[in-house]
Amino acid sequence: MEKIANYINGELHAPKNGQYINNLNPAISEVYSLIPESDVEDLNLALDASEKAFPGWSNTSVEERSAILFKIAALITEDLERLALAECTDTGKPLHLAQTVDIPRASANMAYFAHAITQFSQKSHHMTDAINYTLNQPIGVVACISPWNLPLYLFTWKIAPALAAGNCVIAKPSEITPYTAYLFSKICIKAGLPAGVLNILHGTGSQIGNAIIEEPRIKAVSFTGGTETGKTIASISAPMLRKVSLELGGKNPAIVMADTDLESTVKQLVKASFSNQGQICLCASRLIIQDTIYDQFKALFIKEAAKLRVGDPLETKNDLGAIISKTHYQKIKSYIDLAFEEGGKLLLGTKPPKINERCQSGYFLGPHIIEGLSMDSRVNQEEIFGPVVTLTSFKKIEEAIQLANQSDYGLAGTIWTKDLTTAHSIANELQSGIVWVNCWMIRDLRTPFGGMKNSGVGREGGFDALNFFTETKNVCVKF
Ligand code: NDP
């Protein structure tokens, strides 16, 4: 059985304790590789290597750093097919999704920050008797911890700005989806990234994840994952007065106005609700529809969602693949059961999907559509992170806004209307870090990305990310 290795000081290493955990393909429920169960001993090696590399790396020119990041981006593109297959095997997501979204975006993340760092300019403030100039300097050794739903996509989204800004990085991918991070370490070696600049440690959140967070030598933490884990990281980091960026869960509303182009809206909302089996933090999960078109929308939405094909992620005809794990599958199922207890009515999802021979033991769920739940029900309040959406109707805009904001989360909302004045006024009121109007998941990497309320602290993307990964220093010079 293949053993995945840690990437420490520019080389691939087995974990010091010799311990491994199983890496499972959720589409067939079979172990296909082994993941290092790294611990503090591996972390110490990585920290020593990072601290040693930091003076050199932080003093390279932006052009040198940019060139290496471009090289990594190009190598990701060159290796797209292998990386996409690895992502599909680790996550159960459709291969075509990994080929067209996950891996191209991982390459784009590296290329984007390779460009951005060359354009990251500092300010100066003139006074009558002095001039101030501001420096943005790398922080030191920082940690990047990412989840399983978009493995290489989110891993590189953090690592790229951290490295571009001149930091050294200790990164931990999710233990459930380590394989593309392992391949990424080989790409970094090939690209000539200096030893110790990036170190990738595999293992569980409770062991190596926690060890990284507890370590005061880590000067900043960029984390994407669940809200509870985010709170733990914040509470451990607070006494160290350490910078944290937290991208957490969501329970995203979609407000559908009566004047919307119904056919186009339904098509796009089916995608927004069920892509990647609903396991994207940005997926719509609470559809809030104006009462005059509610029945029409409902009928069309059910019809369109029912067309989605669920099954073997290797078959190109399938739109939805497997759920990430048995535990997560059971969690989603428990919310569907809860929906009944809370008085909901299941409009789609009663029949289990038909799955081919190869994937009989995998964890598959088709799209589920539920109506009749109050907005304060648990199903409408808690993040399910699966192919499950609820429908709720409203009469007036104020009510739609109130329903949309009735959540502890505030990540991404969508508005569907032909009237731009309505769209602007709702966008202004939504408690969401991201608002899309008549679209979903259009991403410009320069824009600030992140959530309000329980969806997180701080913003990623563009210069926000470069600001996070640097210390700001003002220098005042008297004339
Ligand atoms: P988790 O919070 O369980 O895990 C995220 C990462 O943190 C994993 O690498 C995990 O390791 C690690 N981890 C877990 N416990 C600790 C700890 N105590 N200390 C340090 N690291 C730890 O989230 P999931 O992986 O389940 O991801 C799903 C969540 O991510 C959803 O809530 C989703 O909304 C959110 N998300 C948010 C996004 C955003 O941009 N706002 C984007 C994508 C997802 P391990 O897996 O090994 O346990």
Side-chain angles (χ1 to χ4, degrees):
M1 180 89 49
E2 187 183 12
K3 286 179 173 162
I4 287 173
N6 286 328
Y7 172 47
I8 301 173
N9 202 21
E11 292 168 341
L12 299 175
H13 287 277
K16 281 280 165 201
N17 60 16
Q19 301 293 308
Y20 288 87
I21 44 180
N22 290 336
N23 189 23
L24 200 93
N25 175 347
I28 55 174
S29 186
E30 269 180 24
V31 176
Y32 77 100
S33 60
L34 298 173
I35 315 162
E37 174 64 300
S38 311
D39 64 22
V40 75
E41 239 191 305
D42 307 292
L43 174 60
N44 284 335
L45 290 177
L47 281 165
D48 291 346
S50 297
E51 285 177 347
K52 195 164 155 230
F54 180 68
W57 181 247
S58 56
N59 281 305
T60 50
S61 66
V62 290
E63 288 78 14
E64 280 174 76
R65 296 204 291 271
S66 173
I68 289 191
L69 296 194
F70 272 127
K71 184 96 192 281
I72 296 172
L75 289 173
I76 293 174
T77 304
E78 228 173 74
D79 227 1
L80 185 140
E81 289 305 326
R82 190 157 71 118
L83 287 162
L85 184 61
E87 208 69 295
C88 164
T89 311
D90 252 6
T91 59
K93 71 173 65 197
L95 178 60
H96 60 81
L97 193 68
Q99 285 166 330
T100 55
V101 177
D102 293 73
I103 307 306
R105 174 58 194 276
S107 176
N109 289 339
M110 301 308 296
Y112 170 75
F113 283 104
H115 277 297
I117 195 61
T118 65
Q119 306 300 314
F120 187 43
S121 56
Q122 279 88 24
K123 292 175 189 155
S124 70
H125 297 89
H126 292 234
M127 301 168 75
T128 51
D129 56 349
I131 184 168
N132 297 273
Y133 61 88
T134 306
L135 298 175
N136 280 86
Q137 298 176 313
I139 302 171
V141 179
V142 302
C144 296
I145 300 182
S146 54
W148 49 258
N149 63 328
L150 300 165
L152 193 62
Y153 176 133
L154 291 174
F155 197 58
T156 49
W157 181 233
K158 298 181 174 304
I159 289 170
L163 294 180
N167 300 284
C168 290
V169 177
I170 310 271
K172 191 199 99 57
S174 169
E175 98 206 33
I176 310 172
T177 55
Y179 206 92
T180 48
Y182 171 51
L183 294 178
F184 183 73
S185 48
K186 293 185 177 182
I187 286 175
C188 291
I189 294 170
K190 200 167 166 189
L193 188 69
V197 168
L198 170 64
N199 301 275
I200 300 176
L201 299 177
H202 295 275
T204 56
S206 54
Q207 186 158 296
I208 188 62
N210 199 53
I212 293 171
I213 298 305
E214 295 273 4
E215 176 53 63
R217 289 159 80 185
I218 300 280
K219 299 301 176 203
V221 177
S222 174
F223 169 81
T224 298
T227 297
E228 287 315 308
T229 318
K231 285 181 185 171
T232 304
I233 290 173
S235 69
I236 295 170
S237 297
M240 297 183 207
L241 302 176
R242 158 165 87 190
K243 266 185 159 182
V244 287
S245 165
L246 304 172
E247 297 298 335
L248 310 176
K251 191 75 187 174
N252 305 310
I255 298 181
V256 184
M257 301 299 299
D259 71 348
T260 196
D261 174 340
L262 203 56
E263 234 172 82
S264 154
T265 300
V266 163
K267 279 207 166 74
Q268 294 188 73
L269 270 178
V270 164
K271 212 170 159 203
S273 304
F274 303 117
S275 288
N276 203 35
Q277 301 75 250
Q279 301 169 133
I280 303 180
C281 54
L282 306 167
C283 275
S285 53
R286 297 179 293 134
L287 312 194
I288 300 165
I289 306 128
Q290 199 150 29
D291 56 354
T292 49
I293 57 154
Y294 183 85
D295 288 336
Q296 212 187 343
F297 176 92
K298 179 169 92 176
L300 267 180
F301 189 72
I302 294 170
K303 192 171 154 206
E304 204 56 39
K307 288 184 195 163
L308 293 174
R309 284 151 306 186
V310 185
D312 191 335
L314 292 178
E315 289 178 358
T316 43
K317 69 174 170 47
N318 290 326
D319 305 291
L320 270 62
I323 300 297
I324 188 70
S325 65
K326 187 176 180 186
T327 317
H328 195 54
Y329 172 88
Q330 286 168 339
K331 176 187 156 186
I332 299 170
K333 291 274 277 183
S334 76
Y335 274 103
I336 297 164
D337 294 342
L338 178 65
F340 288 116
E341 286 168 35
E342 293 189 316
K345 181 175 165 203
L346 192 61
L347 302 172
L348 182 72
T350 40
K351 283 194 214 138
K354 282 199 186 111
I355 307 298
N356 69 9
E357 197 53 38
R358 186 181 92 93
C359 297
Q360 280 304 308
S361 309
Y363 313 115
F364 291 88
L365 271 176
H368 286 69
I369 304 170
I370 299 163
E371 71 172 355
L373 290 170
S374 74
M375 199 45 82
D376 58 12
S377 64
R378 281 184 55 203
V379 170
N380 264 329
Q381 288 300 309
E382 296 173 17
E383 187 185 41
I384 301 174
F385 217 53
V388 181
V389 295
T390 62
L391 308 186
T392 306
S393 75
F394 72 91
K395 280 193 191 340
K396 293 200 165 144
I397 293 183
E398 299 71 36
E399 192 192 348
I401 295 167
Q402 186 270 322
L403 288 167
N405 287 341
Q406 194 181 330
S407 170
D408 289 337
Y409 294 103
L411 188 54
T414 56
I415 303 163
W416 304 86
T417 175
K418 282 187 188 144
D419 184 340
L420 274 187
T421 306
T422 303
H424 288 308
S425 74
I426 299 177
N428 193 45
E429 298 296 325
L430 275 189
Q431 293 163 0
S432 278
I434 300 153
V435 177
W436 277 295
V437 177
N438 298 327
C439 60
W440 177 72
M441 262 295 232
I442 294 185
R443 292 282 294 115
D444 179 328
L445 303 189
R446 292 169 300 182
T447 58
F449 179 91
M452 297 179 180
K453 305 198 274 189
N454 278 0
S455 291
V457 176
R459 293 294 179 269
E460 296 188 323
F463 292 156
D464 285 280
L466 295 175
N467 277 321
F468 173 75
F469 282 116
T470 50
E471 280 290 4
T472 306
K473 181 191 285 177
N474 188 66
V475 182
C476 178
V477 184
K478 191 165 179 349
F479 291 138

